[in-house]
Amino acid sequence: MMLFLLLLPAIVMFTVSLRKIPYAKRILSLISFAVLIPIVRLFMLPKPYPVWGSYLVADDLNTYVLLVSSIVGIGVTLAMLTLDRHVRISGKDYRRFYRFFAVFWIGLIVSILANNMGIYWIGLETATLSTVYMIKTNHTRAAQREAWNYMIVGAIGVSLVLFGIIMMYASAKPILGEDAMDFSMLLAHAKEIPSPYLFEIGFAITSIGMFVKMGFFPMTLWLANIERAAYYPVAALFSGILESAVIVGFFRFSDIAAAVNSSHLFVFIFTYTVLTIFIISFLIYRAKDFVRLFALSGIEHMALIALFWVSGGVFAALLHFGAHAFLKPALFLSTGVLESGGKYKIAGALRGYRGIRGKTFYFLTTFFLLAIISLPPSPMFFSELYGFGAMIEVAKESKHLLAMIVAILVLLMLLSVIFYKFVEVYQAMKYEGKERVKVVYTTEVLAFVIFAISLLTLLSPVAFDFLKGIS
């Protein structure tokens, strides 16, 4: 019954999108609010809760990820109401977007709640394929080209994930049989896996596939190119929701890998994420427009989340994940106003706002820009403190404290490059360029208010206690 309730809003949305009816975009946006109702109900149920036998199981981790994703989805659909005020889009393309958003949401629910590696892969593939068609709602040549590029890169990523899953399944099959596809069974019997090296190789291949889908080294530019070519709500979905499905899979796989051999896991992920952040920091320094800046920054934050998680900083990783999930879509949606008339100019972008809506937009966008670079009281400020602290604890246990302190200093130097770039962009937005009057709409402001309230909620004692309980 719960599975039906979770999928019902997406099914209704898909059905409505097939019909040409008056006020379709308003109806479809309202339906997206219904997504939150069964998720809140699921969030409040005792855990673990079997949504569909042992195949889809809700626990505190995945219901938190699902709740965050549903709030992001509501914010995105609110901003979609005024998309045609900023770009050229037909009613047919509106309905097409929601049609594939419904398919995307079904794939997301399946992948996030999956307790089976095969089902996780099916959900992830469904979400990936549906986003290809959302990119194609923009009929420019650049968007059509990047949609095909995403199809190719996405196919590479999910193929690596599938191949790695097969190897992990094969490593545990002698002791678990067909249950070797089950996440919980693998975690419970990780110490007994007869071929740990086979599992570790499979995990490494799967991780690389997931990292490719998040834009990590060596495929870093494709994500920024796609998000630049697509409509900005699609970019918001990429950064705030699709990466949720990928990262929750990484959490599941890495927990099992840590039980098999924690030192191998840490060295592999540490090397990969630091190399990614090294490359991203200089790409961000050279970024010339908002979307590329925000897209590359998202890769940096996902790398930090992965690094904090394998360092044992589960609380830090989940706090950082929640903050990123609210901040990055808000910034992508703000580009619809900042880049008014399709002019991608940073200078003067925060000038020319009038009235309550304009001033509210100005204030919230400033807040989001400063929060994304971890200035207090941003949740990212606290998550990085806790995350780097967890890395030092790992080093103390392995007697490599000095090497870890040097590594953290290198990371902080790279993050300071990103900090400098964002401060430079903010100064240009506020003080440089000509002032042009820009229009902000009520639903857009409402979406930003939802993101701001959700972000501040992460700093509440209740949220801190809940996230610490997961760890």
mmCIF file of all heavy atoms in Angstrom, residues 200-236:
data_model
loop_
_atom_site.group_PDB
_atom_site.id
_atom_site.type_symbol
_atom_site.label_atom_id
_atom_site.label_comp_id
_atom_site.label_asym_id
_atom_site.label_seq_id
_atom_site.Cartn_x
_atom_site.Cartn_y
_atom_site.Cartn_z
ATOM 1 N N GLU A 200 36.302 -5.969 -3.682
ATOM 2 C CA GLU A 200 36.915 -4.643 -3.700
ATOM 3 C C GLU A 200 37.089 -4.123 -5.127
ATOM 4 O O GLU A 200 36.899 -2.932 -5.390
ATOM 5 C CB GLU A 200 38.252 -4.672 -2.973
ATOM 6 C CG GLU A 200 38.103 -4.831 -1.467
ATOM 7 C CD GLU A 200 39.447 -4.781 -0.764
ATOM 8 O OE1 GLU A 200 39.897 -3.662 -0.459
ATOM 9 O OE2 GLU A 200 40.052 -5.840 -0.539
ATOM 10 N N ILE A 201 37.454 -4.999 -6.042
ATOM 11 C CA ILE A 201 37.578 -4.587 -7.445
ATOM 12 C C ILE A 201 36.206 -4.186 -7.982
ATOM 13 O O ILE A 201 36.055 -3.170 -8.673
ATOM 14 C CB ILE A 201 38.190 -5.720 -8.293
ATOM 15 C CG1 ILE A 201 39.648 -5.953 -7.886
ATOM 16 C CG2 ILE A 201 38.122 -5.375 -9.783
ATOM 17 C CD1 ILE A 201 40.273 -7.187 -8.505
ATOM 18 N N GLY A 202 35.185 -4.984 -7.657
ATOM 19 C CA GLY A 202 33.822 -4.653 -8.074
ATOM 20 C C GLY A 202 33.364 -3.329 -7.493
ATOM 21 O O GLY A 202 32.741 -2.518 -8.185
ATOM 22 N N PHE A 203 33.683 -3.098 -6.207
ATOM 23 C CA PHE A 203 33.319 -1.832 -5.572
ATOM 24 C C PHE A 203 34.018 -0.657 -6.260
ATOM 25 O O PHE A 203 33.407 0.395 -6.491
ATOM 26 C CB PHE A 203 33.684 -1.846 -4.093
ATOM 27 C CG PHE A 203 33.602 -0.488 -3.440
ATOM 28 C CD1 PHE A 203 32.377 0.062 -3.117
ATOM 29 C CD2 PHE A 203 34.763 0.252 -3.194
ATOM 30 C CE1 PHE A 203 32.300 1.325 -2.546
ATOM 31 C CE2 PHE A 203 34.689 1.509 -2.616
ATOM 32 C CZ PHE A 203 33.456 2.052 -2.293
ATOM 33 N N ALA A 204 35.302 -0.819 -6.583
ATOM 34 C CA ALA A 204 36.050 0.256 -7.238
ATOM 35 C C ALA A 204 35.434 0.591 -8.595
ATOM 36 O O ALA A 204 35.271 1.771 -8.938
ATOM 37 C CB ALA A 204 37.520 -0.145 -7.395
ATOM 38 N N ILE A 205 35.071 -0.427 -9.357
ATOM 39 C CA ILE A 205 34.469 -0.194 -10.677
ATOM 40 C C ILE A 205 33.102 0.484 -10.533
ATOM 41 O O ILE A 205 32.779 1.434 -11.265
ATOM 42 C CB ILE A 205 34.344 -1.518 -11.447
ATOM 43 C CG1 ILE A 205 35.740 -2.060 -11.783
ATOM 44 C CG2 ILE A 205 33.536 -1.335 -12.732
ATOM 45 C CD1 ILE A 205 35.742 -3.452 -12.368
ATOM 46 N N THR A 206 32.303 0.001 -9.585
ATOM 47 C CA THR A 206 30.997 0.620 -9.334
ATOM 48 C C THR A 206 31.139 2.068 -8.901
ATOM 49 O O THR A 206 30.399 2.952 -9.356
ATOM 50 C CB THR A 206 30.224 -0.176 -8.267
ATOM 51 O OG1 THR A 206 29.937 -1.480 -8.764
ATOM 52 C CG2 THR A 206 28.913 0.511 -7.901
ATOM 53 N N SER A 207 32.092 2.334 -8.011
ATOM 54 C CA SER A 207 32.323 3.698 -7.530
ATOM 55 C C SER A 207 32.718 4.624 -8.674
ATOM 56 O O SER A 207 32.232 5.756 -8.769
ATOM 57 C CB SER A 207 33.411 3.712 -6.449
ATOM 58 O OG SER A 207 32.994 2.989 -5.319
ATOM 59 N N ILE A 208 33.598 4.151 -9.548
ATOM 60 C CA ILE A 208 34.009 4.971 -10.688
ATOM 61 C C ILE A 208 32.799 5.280 -11.579
ATOM 62 O O ILE A 208 32.636 6.404 -12.064
ATOM 63 C CB ILE A 208 35.117 4.271 -11.496
ATOM 64 C CG1 ILE A 208 36.406 4.214 -10.655
ATOM 65 C CG2 ILE A 208 35.381 4.992 -12.817
ATOM 66 C CD1 ILE A 208 37.500 3.371 -11.265
ATOM 67 N N GLY A 209 31.922 4.280 -11.772
ATOM 68 C CA GLY A 209 30.707 4.515 -12.550
ATOM 69 C C GLY A 209 29.831 5.578 -11.915
ATOM 70 O O GLY A 209 29.303 6.461 -12.607
ATOM 71 N N MET A 210 29.660 5.528 -10.585
ATOM 72 C CA MET A 210 28.858 6.535 -9.897
ATOM 73 C C MET A 210 29.549 7.893 -9.925
ATOM 74 O O MET A 210 28.900 8.936 -10.064
ATOM 75 C CB MET A 210 28.582 6.085 -8.464
ATOM 76 C CG MET A 210 27.622 4.897 -8.386
ATOM 77 S SD MET A 210 27.107 4.477 -6.704
ATOM 78 C CE MET A 210 28.612 3.715 -6.094
ATOM 79 N N PHE A 211 30.872 7.896 -9.795
ATOM 80 C CA PHE A 211 31.619 9.153 -9.837
ATOM 81 C C PHE A 211 31.526 9.801 -11.221
ATOM 82 O O PHE A 211 31.470 11.023 -11.333
ATOM 83 C CB PHE A 211 33.082 8.907 -9.468
ATOM 84 C CG PHE A 211 33.295 8.562 -8.019
ATOM 85 C CD1 PHE A 211 34.467 7.952 -7.599
ATOM 86 C CD2 PHE A 211 32.330 8.840 -7.069
ATOM 87 C CE1 PHE A 211 34.676 7.630 -6.271
ATOM 88 C CE2 PHE A 211 32.512 8.515 -5.723
ATOM 89 C CZ PHE A 211 33.698 7.905 -5.326
ATOM 90 N N VAL A 212 31.538 8.982 -12.273
ATOM 91 C CA VAL A 212 31.364 9.506 -13.630
ATOM 92 C C VAL A 212 30.021 10.219 -13.742
ATOM 93 O O VAL A 212 29.909 11.307 -14.332
ATOM 94 C CB VAL A 212 31.474 8.378 -14.677
ATOM 95 C CG1 VAL A 212 30.921 8.818 -16.036
ATOM 96 C CG2 VAL A 212 32.925 7.925 -14.831
ATOM 97 N N LYS A 213 28.978 9.629 -13.146
ATOM 98 C CA LYS A 213 27.647 10.235 -13.212
ATOM 99 C C LYS A 213 27.558 11.521 -12.397
ATOM 100 O O LYS A 213 26.670 12.339 -12.625
ATOM 101 C CB LYS A 213 26.596 9.236 -12.711
ATOM 102 C CG LYS A 213 26.373 8.070 -13.665
ATOM 103 C CD LYS A 213 25.244 7.174 -13.214
ATOM 104 C CE LYS A 213 23.923 7.878 -13.312
ATOM 105 N NZ LYS A 213 23.572 8.253 -14.682
ATOM 106 N N MET A 214 28.483 11.706 -11.447
ATOM 107 C CA MET A 214 28.491 12.942 -10.661
ATOM 108 C C MET A 214 29.511 13.953 -11.172
ATOM 109 O O MET A 214 29.677 15.017 -10.580
ATOM 110 C CB MET A 214 28.759 12.616 -9.189
ATOM 111 C CG MET A 214 27.612 11.891 -8.501
ATOM 112 S SD MET A 214 27.786 11.770 -6.710
ATOM 113 C CE MET A 214 29.136 10.593 -6.549
ATOM 114 N N GLY A 215 30.220 13.612 -12.262
ATOM 115 C CA GLY A 215 31.152 14.565 -12.851
ATOM 116 C C GLY A 215 32.533 14.560 -12.247
ATOM 117 O O GLY A 215 33.287 15.529 -12.418
ATOM 118 N N PHE A 216 32.911 13.492 -11.541
ATOM 119 C CA PHE A 216 34.241 13.416 -10.947
ATOM 120 C C PHE A 216 35.303 13.199 -12.035
ATOM 121 O O PHE A 216 34.994 12.944 -13.190
ATOM 122 C CB PHE A 216 34.322 12.266 -9.948
ATOM 123 C CG PHE A 216 33.636 12.540 -8.628
ATOM 124 C CD1 PHE A 216 32.605 13.464 -8.527
ATOM 125 C CD2 PHE A 216 34.010 11.871 -7.478
ATOM 126 C CE1 PHE A 216 31.965 13.703 -7.319
ATOM 127 C CE2 PHE A 216 33.384 12.103 -6.265
ATOM 128 C CZ PHE A 216 32.358 13.020 -6.189
ATOM 129 N N PHE A 217 36.560 13.284 -11.627
ATOM 130 C CA PHE A 217 37.692 12.979 -12.502
ATOM 131 C C PHE A 217 37.504 11.574 -13.083
ATOM 132 O O PHE A 217 37.109 10.661 -12.367
ATOM 133 C CB PHE A 217 38.989 13.054 -11.678
ATOM 134 C CG PHE A 217 40.199 12.536 -12.391
ATOM 135 C CD1 PHE A 217 40.901 13.349 -13.257
ATOM 136 C CD2 PHE A 217 40.633 11.227 -12.193
ATOM 137 C CE1 PHE A 217 42.022 12.865 -13.922
ATOM 138 C CE2 PHE A 217 41.741 10.745 -12.851
ATOM 139 C CZ PHE A 217 42.437 11.565 -13.723
ATOM 140 N N PRO A 218 37.800 11.363 -14.372
ATOM 141 C CA PRO A 218 38.363 12.317 -15.338
ATOM 142 C C PRO A 218 37.310 13.030 -16.185
ATOM 143 O O PRO A 218 37.668 13.845 -17.018
ATOM 144 C CB PRO A 218 39.223 11.402 -16.213
ATOM 145 C CG PRO A 218 38.448 10.119 -16.269
ATOM 146 C CD PRO A 218 37.777 9.980 -14.922
ATOM 147 N N MET A 219 36.023 12.701 -16.005
ATOM 148 C CA MET A 219 34.965 13.299 -16.831
ATOM 149 C C MET A 219 34.285 14.418 -16.047
ATOM 150 O O MET A 219 33.266 14.205 -15.404
ATOM 151 C CB MET A 219 33.954 12.239 -17.259
ATOM 152 C CG MET A 219 34.539 11.149 -18.133
ATOM 153 S SD MET A 219 33.271 9.980 -18.685
ATOM 154 C CE MET A 219 34.255 8.851 -19.670
ATOM 155 N N THR A 220 34.874 15.616 -16.093
ATOM 156 C CA THR A 220 34.394 16.706 -15.259
ATOM 157 C C THR A 220 33.602 17.760 -16.021
ATOM 158 O O THR A 220 32.694 18.369 -15.458
ATOM 159 C CB THR A 220 35.589 17.401 -14.566
ATOM 160 O OG1 THR A 220 36.565 17.733 -15.564
ATOM 161 C CG2 THR A 220 36.234 16.486 -13.546
ATOM 162 N N LEU A 221 33.905 17.988 -17.272
ATOM 163 C CA LEU A 221 33.290 19.091 -18.004
ATOM 164 C C LEU A 221 31.914 18.763 -18.577
ATOM 165 O O LEU A 221 31.128 19.662 -18.851
ATOM 166 C CB LEU A 221 34.214 19.556 -19.134
ATOM 167 C CG LEU A 221 35.472 20.309 -18.688
ATOM 168 C CD1 LEU A 221 36.345 20.622 -19.875
ATOM 169 C CD2 LEU A 221 35.108 21.584 -17.950
ATOM 170 N N TRP A 222 31.609 17.464 -18.773
ATOM 171 C CA TRP A 222 30.355 17.113 -19.436
ATOM 172 C C TRP A 222 29.137 17.597 -18.646
ATOM 173 O O TRP A 222 28.144 18.043 -19.222
ATOM 174 C CB TRP A 222 30.281 15.603 -19.667
ATOM 175 C CG TRP A 222 30.090 14.796 -18.426
ATOM 176 C CD1 TRP A 222 31.062 14.250 -17.654
ATOM 177 C CD2 TRP A 222 28.848 14.437 -17.809
ATOM 178 N NE1 TRP A 222 30.517 13.581 -16.582
ATOM 179 C CE2 TRP A 222 29.155 13.677 -16.662
ATOM 180 C CE3 TRP A 222 27.513 14.682 -18.119
ATOM 181 C CZ2 TRP A 222 28.176 13.169 -15.822
ATOM 182 C CZ3 TRP A 222 26.527 14.173 -17.278
ATOM 183 C CH2 TRP A 222 26.873 13.431 -16.152
ATOM 184 N N LEU A 223 29.227 17.521 -17.296
ATOM 185 C CA LEU A 223 28.082 17.916 -16.473
ATOM 186 C C LEU A 223 27.805 19.412 -16.610
ATOM 187 O O LEU A 223 26.648 19.837 -16.755
ATOM 188 C CB LEU A 223 28.347 17.550 -15.013
ATOM 189 C CG LEU A 223 27.201 17.813 -14.025
ATOM 190 C CD1 LEU A 223 25.980 16.999 -14.404
ATOM 191 C CD2 LEU A 223 27.640 17.493 -12.604
ATOM 192 N N ALA A 224 28.869 20.225 -16.582
ATOM 193 C CA ALA A 224 28.694 21.670 -16.736
ATOM 194 C C ALA A 224 28.138 22.013 -18.115
ATOM 195 O O ALA A 224 27.299 22.912 -18.255
ATOM 196 C CB ALA A 224 30.032 22.374 -16.507
ATOM 197 N N ASN A 225 28.589 21.291 -19.149
ATOM 198 C CA ASN A 225 28.094 21.549 -20.509
ATOM 199 C C ASN A 225 26.606 21.246 -20.627
ATOM 200 O O ASN A 225 25.847 21.987 -21.257
ATOM 201 C CB ASN A 225 28.877 20.706 -21.514
ATOM 202 C CG ASN A 225 30.326 21.139 -21.638
ATOM 203 O OD1 ASN A 225 30.666 22.265 -21.310
ATOM 204 N ND2 ASN A 225 31.176 20.242 -22.108
ATOM 205 N N ILE A 226 26.182 20.144 -20.012
ATOM 206 C CA ILE A 226 24.774 19.751 -20.069
ATOM 207 C C ILE A 226 23.902 20.750 -19.313
ATOM 208 O O ILE A 226 22.854 21.190 -19.804
ATOM 209 C CB ILE A 226 24.594 18.337 -19.503
ATOM 210 C CG1 ILE A 226 25.120 17.314 -20.506
ATOM 211 C CG2 ILE A 226 23.134 18.042 -19.172
ATOM 212 C CD1 ILE A 226 25.195 15.926 -19.956
ATOM 213 N N GLU A 227 24.321 21.125 -18.130
ATOM 214 C CA GLU A 227 23.519 22.036 -17.325
ATOM 215 C C GLU A 227 23.485 23.443 -17.928
ATOM 216 O O GLU A 227 22.527 24.188 -17.720
ATOM 217 C CB GLU A 227 24.040 22.049 -15.890
ATOM 218 C CG GLU A 227 23.804 20.723 -15.196
ATOM 219 C CD GLU A 227 24.310 20.663 -13.777
ATOM 220 O OE1 GLU A 227 25.199 21.457 -13.430
ATOM 221 O OE2 GLU A 227 23.817 19.814 -13.011
ATOM 222 N N ARG A 228 24.513 23.802 -18.693
ATOM 223 C CA ARG A 228 24.502 25.072 -19.409
ATOM 224 C C ARG A 228 23.509 25.030 -20.565
ATOM 225 O O ARG A 228 22.804 26.019 -20.837
ATOM 226 C CB ARG A 228 25.904 25.370 -19.933
ATOM 227 C CG ARG A 228 26.049 26.592 -20.838
ATOM 228 C CD ARG A 228 25.952 27.899 -20.080
ATOM 229 N NE ARG A 228 24.586 28.338 -19.822
ATOM 230 C CZ ARG A 228 24.260 29.363 -19.080
ATOM 231 N NH1 ARG A 228 25.182 30.068 -18.472
ATOM 232 N NH2 ARG A 228 23.003 29.700 -18.898
ATOM 233 N N ALA A 229 23.426 23.894 -21.258
ATOM 234 C CA ALA A 229 22.574 23.785 -22.444
ATOM 235 C C ALA A 229 21.103 23.588 -22.094
ATOM 236 O O ALA A 229 20.224 24.017 -22.838
ATOM 237 C CB ALA A 229 23.058 22.641 -23.332
ATOM 238 N N ALA A 230 20.811 22.918 -20.969
ATOM 239 C CA ALA A 230 19.424 22.627 -20.600
ATOM 240 C C ALA A 230 18.766 23.849 -19.962
ATOM 241 O O ALA A 230 19.432 24.815 -19.585
ATOM 242 C CB ALA A 230 19.387 21.446 -19.638
ATOM 243 N N TYR A 231 17.432 23.805 -19.829
ATOM 244 C CA TYR A 231 16.736 24.827 -19.064
ATOM 245 C C TYR A 231 17.185 24.751 -17.609
ATOM 246 O O TYR A 231 17.476 23.663 -17.089
ATOM 247 C CB TYR A 231 15.226 24.633 -19.141
ATOM 248 C CG TYR A 231 14.627 24.950 -20.495
ATOM 249 C CD1 TYR A 231 13.734 24.086 -21.113
ATOM 250 C CD2 TYR A 231 14.945 26.136 -21.156
ATOM 251 C CE1 TYR A 231 13.168 24.384 -22.345
ATOM 252 C CE2 TYR A 231 14.381 26.440 -22.389
ATOM 253 C CZ TYR A 231 13.504 25.557 -22.985
ATOM 254 O OH TYR A 231 12.954 25.859 -24.202
ATOM 255 N N TYR A 232 17.198 25.887 -16.928
ATOM 256 C CA TYR A 232 17.750 25.922 -15.571
ATOM 257 C C TYR A 232 16.997 25.040 -14.560
ATOM 258 O O TYR A 232 17.617 24.519 -13.637
ATOM 259 C CB TYR A 232 17.876 27.366 -15.071
ATOM 260 C CG TYR A 232 16.610 28.184 -15.083
ATOM 261 C CD1 TYR A 232 15.712 28.146 -14.021
ATOM 262 C CD2 TYR A 232 16.312 29.017 -16.149
ATOM 263 C CE1 TYR A 232 14.567 28.888 -14.024
ATOM 264 C CE2 TYR A 232 15.149 29.773 -16.162
ATOM 265 C CZ TYR A 232 14.281 29.717 -15.098
ATOM 266 O OH TYR A 232 13.132 30.468 -15.098
ATOM 267 N N PRO A 233 15.662 24.790 -14.676
ATOM 268 C CA PRO A 233 15.050 23.829 -13.752
ATOM 269 C C PRO A 233 15.595 22.400 -13.920
ATOM 270 O O PRO A 233 15.667 21.650 -12.956
ATOM 271 C CB PRO A 233 13.562 23.894 -14.099
ATOM 272 C CG PRO A 233 13.372 25.224 -14.735
ATOM 273 C CD PRO A 233 14.631 25.464 -15.492
ATOM 274 N N VAL A 234 15.976 22.041 -15.143
ATOM 275 C CA VAL A 234 16.573 20.723 -15.369
ATOM 276 C C VAL A 234 17.930 20.647 -14.675
ATOM 277 O O VAL A 234 18.277 19.628 -14.055
ATOM 278 C CB VAL A 234 16.717 20.431 -16.877
ATOM 279 C CG1 VAL A 234 17.374 19.075 -17.100
ATOM 280 C CG2 VAL A 234 15.351 20.487 -17.559
ATOM 281 N N ALA A 235 18.707 21.732 -14.759
ATOM 282 C CA ALA A 235 19.989 21.775 -14.054
ATOM 283 C C ALA A 235 19.782 21.647 -12.544
ATOM 284 O O ALA A 235 20.566 20.984 -11.852
ATOM 285 C CB ALA A 235 20.718 23.082 -14.381
ATOM 286 N N ALA A 236 18.713 22.262 -12.033
ATOM 287 C CA ALA A 236 18.407 22.154 -10.605
ATOM 288 C C ALA A 236 18.076 20.721 -10.216
ATOM 289 O O ALA A 236 18.474 20.245 -9.144
ATOM 290 C CB ALA A 236 17.243 23.077 -10.256
#
